[in-house]
Amino acid sequence: MQSNASARGRTLDLTPHFDNDGISTAGNTADGAFNVWRNTFPAEDLPASGELVDVAGIAFRFPSKADGALNNVVCGGQLIEVPPGAYDWIYVLAAGERRSEDPVYLHFASGAVDPEWLRVSDFWPGPPRFGEVVAFRARSMHYPRHAQRNLEPTIWLQRVPVTRLDRLVAVRLPENRAMHLFAATLVPAVRAVAPAPEPAREEAAVR
Amino acid sequence: MSVVLPEIEYWRHDLSSCLQDCLATLLIQRGHDPVPALGAAWDFYYPPGDFRPEEYYYPCRWDGLAESVLPYHPVTSRWRTPPGPGAAWAEVRAEVEAGRPAIVAVDNYHLPFRPAYGDVHTNHLVIVYGFDDDASVAHVIDSKPPRFRGSVRMDDLSAARGSANPAHHDRDLFYTQRPIEGRWLEVRVGGDFPELTPEWVRTVVERNVERFLDREGDGAFSGLTGLRDYLADVADRAGEADGPRVMDELYVVGWAAQQCAGLHADFLAAAGRRLGRPRLAELGRDVDRLAHHWSDLRMLGAHCRAEPAAAAGRIRARTVQLVSDTQRALARMEGAVACG
């Protein structure tokens, strides 16, 4: 992880959807509750609040780590509007309470909707079961009453493909209580996308 | 006297409980690959009301815990509950002295190497693989992160094994209020393990499918219909007075089902690779999908303890997906068996 102006992607602001605080400082490990045991990621091992970070060549805006601040979204079927555009990938910084997978629904300017898989491995120490890359691996796990060394929670870099050659306008997250997203970035399409033909949209609306 | 048993190795699967971790360490010590043994059976079975607050809870279809986890292998087990603290150590010491690592139940609250030390009560399993009478220590291995292998003061181990396992605060969850009582699991590993051949894998898959499709459950939730009925029952009971306990049950019983699916997925994937049968690996991926449904169900149970009724709709919706994907996996397995 490093700051790098050449990192790709258009960062997506998830702040309005944040509903969980999964990060605490060593001075107040009781802040937040990523899981039911109230474990949290240690702020000291993560990027600064609001920092633009480069993770494997993708730019992400890291969420706030301040005490009491919400900094991730628990997947609960939220509809997230995106800057309309042609994209190849949606990259996310994510972690699971146990690994899980579910479809996200991609909404396009033409009215088309496609499901694509979002897959996230466990934040507890373990392998990336879905081929993710480690974005951040902390040196300790926070418990409300102490910081546990040698227990290294992970935030993963994962991605979702946008296969339709159309302009993406929104993403519906899964309803899956195990999946948390800390940040998201859209990577523009390499190939230009032609606008969807108007008749097709009207036809679809009639049906 | 001092004893340290050899060939004691860590083993952990990201969906396993301490039960499979411990059984795997015993299998490795006897020269066996854990995944073909622990992952061969795929099942859903739950006798109503059987749930116990233990990290190692596993609903037993057959007589014996190991017999139910590894029904295709010659491994047996019996719980031993010694009459008192002295006997609790004497029995485990004798087992180790005889060359057999002993799986013992503990409350992590009393074990300095666990994150829960002095904080959270729980009901966990570790292995005692040695002791030093003069130093008054036992040698213990625990594969759960942060994993540990080393000596533990006898006083700490005795406290962990004799704990009343109380619930004192709001993080004493799921695995408390069941006294440990010095329990330990006597395990016997037989000699003749089946080889991972195409014929054996086919037989295993056939039996698993037959069991899943069998509608007879002897009063238990069993197989595909049992899976559907159990989760419908959970959703129905979520809004009742004992809703929080129903959520605890979903979290714990769901873990057993998730372990079973996750390990069977890896069994099929490993068989596919070793036997050059890509279709088996694909079936494994189908079964992994089922394990992932359980993550959502279990976390709904965990996070909705305070308001269980709010989880009912989500549980019903996830059940439809889980049952549908289970039917799909079973159909593909039947097709694969038919094709040889």
Side-chain angles (χ1 to χ4, degrees), chain A residues 98-99 101-102 125 177, chain B residues 12 285 289 292 295 318:
Chain A
R98 299 290 177 181
R99 66 173 135 108
E101 61 182 334
D102 258 327
R177 190 62 187 74
Chain B
R12 175 186 171 240
R285 188 61 182 85
R289 169 71 180 137
H292 302 150
S295 292
R318 181 61 66 174

Side-chain angles (χ1 to χ4, degrees), chain A residues 36-38 97-102 119 124-125 129-130 143-146 148 150-151 175-177, chain B residues 12-15 115 119 145-146 169-171 255 266 285 288-289 292 295-296 302-303 314 318:
Chain A
V36 73
W37 308 100
R38 302 215 300 273
E97 296 178 60
R98 299 290 177 181
R99 66 173 135 108
S100 199
E101 61 182 334
D102 258 327
R119 300 183 165 103
W124 256 62
R129 292 290 302 213
F130 300 114
Y143 286 69
R145 296 178 184 175
H146 76 291
Q148 178 68 39
N150 303 321
L151 195 55
E175 281 197 275
N176 189 320
R177 190 62 187 74
Chain B
R12 175 186 171 240
H13 184 275
D14 70 332
L15 298 179
D119 185 9
H169 57 69
D170 65 355
R171 286 179 298 116
W255 195 8
D266 282 11
R285 188 61 182 85
D288 234 2
R289 169 71 180 137
H292 302 150
S295 292
D296 181 43
H303 289 282
R314 288 273 296 271
R318 181 61 66 174

Side-chain angles (χ1 to χ4, degrees), chain B residues 29-269:
Chain B
Q29 198 222 11
R30 297 292 297 268
H32 300 298
D33 182 350
V35 170
L38 291 169
W42 177 42
D43 200 357
F44 181 82
Y45 183 79
Y46 178 61
D50 187 56
F51 149 68
R52 292 183 301 280
E54 303 163 345
E55 288 183 14
Y56 45 91
Y57 173 72
Y58 197 92
C60 292
R61 181 181 286 277
W62 287 284
D63 185 23
L65 186 54
E67 290 89 332
S68 297
V69 176
L70 308 96
Y72 303 118
H73 292 76
V75 183
T76 61
S77 70
R78 290 294 176 271
W79 281 110
R80 301 297 182 200
T81 305
W89 175 242
E91 290 182 14
V92 166
R93 186 184 182 284
E95 184 77 352
V96 174
E97 191 177 354
R100 293 183 294 266
I103 299 175
V104 302
V106 289
D107 179 353
N108 289 344
Y109 184 92
H110 298 282
L111 293 177
F113 60 84
R114 290 301 315 172
Y117 180 55
D119 185 9
V120 171
H121 290 278
T122 190
N123 203 324
H124 181 57
L125 294 178
V126 298
I127 291 175
V128 175
Y129 66 94
F131 58 85
D132 185 329
D133 291 332
D134 292 339
S136 194
V137 296
H139 297 289
V140 168
I141 186 169
D142 182 359
S143 293
K144 278 281 174 278
R147 61 188 195 177
F148 174 84
R149 177 167 45 188
S151 59
V152 173
R153 291 190 323 126
M154 197 59 73
D155 287 350
D156 291 332
L157 183 62
S158 296
R161 296 188 64 208
S163 171
N165 189 224
H168 282 147
H169 57 69
D170 65 355
R171 286 179 298 116
D172 284 328
L173 291 164
F174 310 120
Y175 310 118
T176 56
Q177 302 186 73
R178 170 151 163 78
I180 308 299
E181 297 180 315
R183 278 189 302 281
W184 67 283
L185 190 65
E186 182 185 80
V187 179
R188 295 290 178 265
V189 181
D192 294 327
F193 269 43
E195 288 189 31
L196 190 74
T197 63
E199 295 73 26
W200 182 71
V201 172
R202 176 182 171 140
T203 299
V204 162
V205 171
E206 280 179 334
R207 288 186 188 173
N208 289 342
V209 171
E210 283 173 10
R211 208 163 45 239
F212 244 104
L213 296 178
D214 186 351
R215 289 177 171 273
E216 297 299 322
D218 296 331
F221 294 111
S222 179
L224 182 62
T225 55
L227 172 67
R228 183 196 61 210
D229 294 347
Y230 169 65
L231 290 172
D233 183 60
V234 167
D236 289 345
R237 288 189 291 139
E240 297 177 359
D242 66 340
R245 181 168 171 78
V246 174
M247 295 293 100
D248 287 358
E249 179 191 275
L250 173 62
Y251 186 79
V252 175
V253 173
W255 195 8
Q258 185 174 40
Q259 295 153 19
C260 186
L263 281 160
H264 188 58
D266 282 11
F267 165 84
L268 291 170

Side-chain angles (χ1 to χ4, degrees), chain B residues 42 261 285-294 322 325-326 329:
Chain B
W42 177 42
R285 188 61 182 85
D286 289 343
V287 177
D288 234 2
R289 169 71 180 137
L290 310 178
H292 302 150
H293 284 304
W294 281 109
L322 173 56
D325 284 341
T326 303

Side-chain angles (χ1 to χ4, degrees), chain A residues 17-36:
Chain A
H17 302 281
F18 284 162
D19 55 4
N20 178 264
D21 178 3
I23 301 172
S24 66
T25 61
N28 182 18
T29 60
D31 171 51
F34 181 77
N35 62 3
V36 73

